[in-house]
Amino acid sequence: MSQSTISCLPVQARQARMSKAKKVLDEARETQNREIDLVDKGINSFEELPGLFNMSNITRLTLSHNKISLINPGIANLLNLEILNLSNNHLRELPVSLSSMPKLRILNVSINRLDSLPRGFGAFPVLEVLDLSYNNLNEKVLPGNFFMIETLRALYLGDNDFEYIPKGLGNLKNLQILGLRDNDLLELPREIGELTRLRELHIQNNRLQVLPPEVAQLDLLGSKSVMKMEENPWVQPIAEQYLLGISHVIEYIKTETYKIIYNRHMQSGRSGPAPPKADKSKKASRVRA
């Protein structure tokens, strides 16, 4: 095979990808299909999607399992978009324009390489579900208005690098599902007790030793409720109650005895040695390709 033939291969591959994507977009225009599915098409950038940002009628755009590293700010032209799925790509950052989309209800950017969020990210007017799980985020990169998304019903922050969750969490009054599993969490804010609609709490596989007593104020024992808290280095009283079941944990943290233990731990724990972090060096989100 000649050198010229080899050099043409990447160009030919890109043209083939564009041809497949263009076919999907052309068919959607012809049929007035408002839902675009471009899953696992080998797409590297939005440049391979000609005319996409002129299709202002679409309500759902699925681009998961591709190789996109950058979202064009022009995405905000899709004024009727309600669902955007960009999970399992190579995203390192998000455009500021994303949070201005007037009808966006569901945003999934999980399984990417995000280590920051744009300023003003919490300005989404109607967002209900936000999935940021399996990235490289921590409490230091959350913009100041992150917890001002009052419409949010489900927030997934699992598989990141959070050690603490800011007190602003308590502002999410409509939150029903909170996913914090597989982080480096050392504590939860007492303001979690203000999430009166919360029905699912996932805090497994962190570095938590105690729970704020306010967790007992939440309805996490109903038939449709879920609380996952395994794989944490709990203080002995909580570990013992956990062996008996979640309901025993909830009842125990209501007691005055536990509140004394909790307060002592919070006073001494912050100055004492923290449980070791898990090794995340081999996470896919750490890849620097």
Side-chain angles (χ1 to χ4, degrees):
M1 185 180 294
S2 68
Q3 186 65 38
S4 59
T5 302
I6 294 175
S7 63
C8 286
L9 291 179
V11 176
Q12 292 172 350
R14 184 170 185 269
Q15 290 175 340
R17 291 194 302 269
M18 288 185 68
S19 177
K20 290 180 181 179
K22 185 176 183 299
K23 182 179 179 181
V24 171
L25 296 177
D26 287 344
E27 289 178 354
R29 290 187 190 94
E30 292 173 7
T31 61
Q32 291 295 301
N33 187 359
R34 295 164 65 88
E35 300 185 355
I36 307 295
D37 186 344
L38 288 165
V39 176
D40 197 15
K41 300 294 185 185
I43 299 168
N44 288 313
S45 77
F46 279 88
E47 293 178 0
E48 297 171 23
L49 305 172
L52 172 65
F53 297 144
N54 295 324
M55 300 174 67
S56 59
N57 66 313
I58 64 174
T59 58
R60 180 199 292 261
L61 176 59
T62 305
L63 284 161
S64 55
H65 297 272
N66 283 292
K67 299 176 182 178
I68 300 170
S69 59
L70 194 66
I71 300 177
N72 190 305
I75 191 90
N77 292 338
L78 303 178
L79 298 177
N80 288 296
L81 197 66
E82 298 177 15
I83 301 172
L84 176 58
N85 187 344
L86 279 155
S87 65
N88 208 336
N89 274 278
H90 296 171
L91 296 175
R92 298 195 184 282
E93 59 183 69
L94 300 175
V96 175
S97 62
L98 206 56
S99 56
S100 68
M101 299 180 73
K103 295 187 179 181
L104 193 65
R105 294 185 299 103
I106 300 174
L107 174 61
N108 186 347
V109 286
S110 63
I111 319 178
N112 276 286
R113 301 171 187 177
L114 299 172
D115 54 19
S116 65
L117 293 175
R119 187 176 180 180
F121 188 72
F124 292 97
V126 297
L127 195 67
E128 297 178 14
V129 180
L130 175 59
D131 194 344
L132 291 164
S133 54
Y134 210 94
N135 280 287
N136 303 319
L137 302 170
N138 60 57
E139 61 275 8
K140 297 176 183 177
V141 303
L142 295 181
N145 68 344
F146 183 81
F147 292 108
M148 300 304 291
I149 312 175
E150 297 179 358
T151 52
L152 211 57
R153 293 187 297 107
L155 175 60
Y156 300 98
L157 295 173
D159 271 299
N160 278 287
D161 302 321
F162 289 93
E163 292 191 349
Y164 302 94
I165 299 297
K167 295 179 180 180
L169 175 68
N171 294 328
L172 302 180
K173 305 300 184 185
N174 289 301
L175 202 65
Q176 298 173 27
I177 302 172
L178 178 58
L180 297 170
R181 60 174 178 76
D182 293 287
N183 274 282
D184 296 314
L185 288 174
L186 294 167
E187 62 184 73
L188 295 174
R190 303 190 75 151
E191 287 75 10
I192 194 171
E194 299 172 18
L195 305 179
T196 56
R197 296 188 177 184
L198 198 69
R199 296 297 179 268
E200 285 192 30
L201 178 59
H202 301 265
I203 52 174
Q204 61 269 44
N205 202 15
N206 277 285
R207 296 192 287 162
L208 297 168
Q209 295 175 280
V210 293
L211 286 169
E214 288 77 8
V215 168
Q217 300 171 13
L218 305 174
D219 182 10
L220 295 172
L221 297 177
S223 59
K224 295 183 179 180
S225 299
V226 176
M227 182 173 178
K228 298 283 189 179
M229 56 179 284
E230 63 269 21
E231 301 298 328
N232 279 287
W234 300 114
V235 293
Q236 187 174 352
I238 290 185
E240 291 174 352
Q241 296 299 321
Y242 178 65
L243 292 175
L244 300 173
I246 297 292
S247 61
H248 290 265
V249 173
I250 297 297
E251 288 303 313
Y252 175 67
I253 65 176
K254 292 179 182 178
T255 66
E256 292 301 317
T257 301
Y258 175 70
K259 291 176 183 177
I260 293 172
I261 292 173
Y262 175 79
N263 289 330
R264 284 178 179 170
H265 179 86
M266 295 305 291
Q267 290 170 6
S268 63
R270 286 174 176 163
S271 59
K277 289 185 178 182
D279 181 11
K280 299 182 181 181
S281 60
K282 295 183 180 179
K283 272 182 66 176
S285 61
R286 295 286 198 266
V287 174
R288 294 293 174 186

